[in-house]
Amino acid sequence: MANSMNFVPIFQKLVDIRSGEYRKTVLMFLYIFLLLLSFVIIKAVRDALFLVRLGPEQLPYIYILVAVIVGVVAWIHANLSARLRLDVLIRGTLLIVVANLLIFWWLFRFGWPSLYYVFYIWAAAIGLLTMSQYWLLANSVFNAREAKRLFGLIGAGSILGGLVGGVVTARAVTWIGTEGLLIIAATGYLLCGGLALIVGRAAVPEARPSGNASGMSAQAEAAAHSEESILTTMRNSPYLITIAGL
């Protein structure tokens, strides 16, 4: 008993979690853990199927397609984020991911070559969207002071998720096959949706009618203003334009 009581203050000094922060810290840690675990599984399935079915000589073409299509997806997501509440957008995205994984799992039995192209690009887009949404949610859950203390600890969940995802992939593939791993990934994303629901309700306030003429919510106005500011900054900076072009 004494040893366990001595461990508590030592643990608190190491992680510096303060009163009222434990619940959201644990939830966000589990969220990113499951997010990375599921994505590592998807990447393993994507690479294995693409290389076996189509061969490595097709990789240059898929890299070009990924760069173009994922950029378009990111632009569409930026516009949606200016019109939807963050928690609603996250839950909707995760539900679509789960549904898509089940659809891919069913379609892979037909062995259509074009499907492996679609899945490769889809996996790249999902990795970008789900991670960016996670950190947007984290920024709304934690204030600046909390973020400085806790983001390192929370980020460790992604490292642990990547490690466990690799182990799960290596062990489970011998039992359920490559395509069957998508069911495990779908389960992980579904659990992420549940965690996002719990955290999002507390972090993102309900939209209230405002007195502006356009009827936009305060969050939508802020997002639109932010998007306009970003575009203005890019137009005025030749360095950012060059980076964006590359």
Side-chain angles (χ1 to χ4, degrees):
M1 178 67 69
N3 290 335
S4 63
M5 292 182 66
N6 291 334
F7 175 76
V8 172
I10 296 175
F11 177 77
Q12 290 177 337
K13 289 181 180 180
L14 288 175
V15 299
D16 197 14
I17 304 178
R18 300 175 185 177
S19 177
E21 298 173 349
Y22 285 94
R23 182 173 181 269
K24 60 184 180 181
T25 301
V26 170
L27 290 174
M28 293 300 288
F29 183 91
L30 291 174
Y31 185 173
I32 197 169
F33 168 79
L34 290 170
L35 202 62
L36 262 293
L37 185 152
S38 303
F39 185 61
V40 165
I41 293 175
I42 289 176
K43 282 180 63 179
V45 174
R46 176 197 70 183
D47 295 342
L49 292 178
F50 190 89
L51 292 174
V52 170
R53 305 294 183 181
L54 301 179
E57 62 275 4
Q58 297 296 318
L59 286 175
Y61 305 108
I62 196 65
Y63 290 157
I64 295 173
L65 287 173
V66 165
V68 173
I69 296 177
V70 170
V72 174
V73 170
W75 177 79
I76 294 173
H77 178 267
N79 282 274
L80 286 175
S81 64
R83 294 168 172 80
L84 296 174
R85 277 178 40 188
L86 178 60
D87 58 330
V88 174
L89 183 61
I90 291 175
R91 293 200 303 271
T93 301
L94 291 172
L95 287 176
I96 291 173
V97 170
V98 172
N100 286 349
L101 283 170
L102 297 177
I103 292 171
F104 278 120
W105 170 76
W106 181 73
L107 290 177
F108 277 139
R109 68 185 66 188
F110 300 105
W112 298 327
S114 59
L115 188 61
Y116 302 108
Y117 274 98
V118 174
F119 183 68
Y120 201 106
I121 297 169
W122 176 89
I126 288 307
L128 170 68
L129 294 182
T130 54
M131 286 304 300
S132 63
Q133 288 178 350
Y134 172 86
W135 288 112
L136 285 172
L137 181 61
N139 283 329
S140 66
V141 170
F142 300 97
N143 58 42
R145 292 181 179 179
E146 293 171 338
K148 289 180 180 179
R149 289 186 290 103
L150 300 174
F151 272 15
L153 172 63
I154 294 172
S158 64
I159 300 174
L160 182 60
L163 294 173
V164 175
V167 174
V168 170
T169 301
R171 298 291 179 84
V173 70
T174 59
W175 303 334
I176 59 179
T178 304
E179 293 84 353
L181 291 171
L182 297 181
I183 303 298
I184 299 178
T187 304
Y189 279 112
L190 189 62
L191 293 174
C192 287
L195 292 171
L197 176 63
I198 297 172
V199 177
R201 283 178 172 175
V204 183
E206 292 290 338
R208 295 180 179 177
S210 61
N212 58 61
S214 63
M216 293 176 63
S217 66
Q219 183 180 1
E221 285 185 335
H225 177 71
S226 176
E227 183 179 353
E228 182 180 354
S229 299
I230 292 172
L231 292 175
T232 301
T233 303
M234 288 189 65
R235 284 196 298 267
N236 295 333
S237 173
Y239 302 106
L240 288 178
I241 293 174
T242 302
I243 292 171
L246 290 172

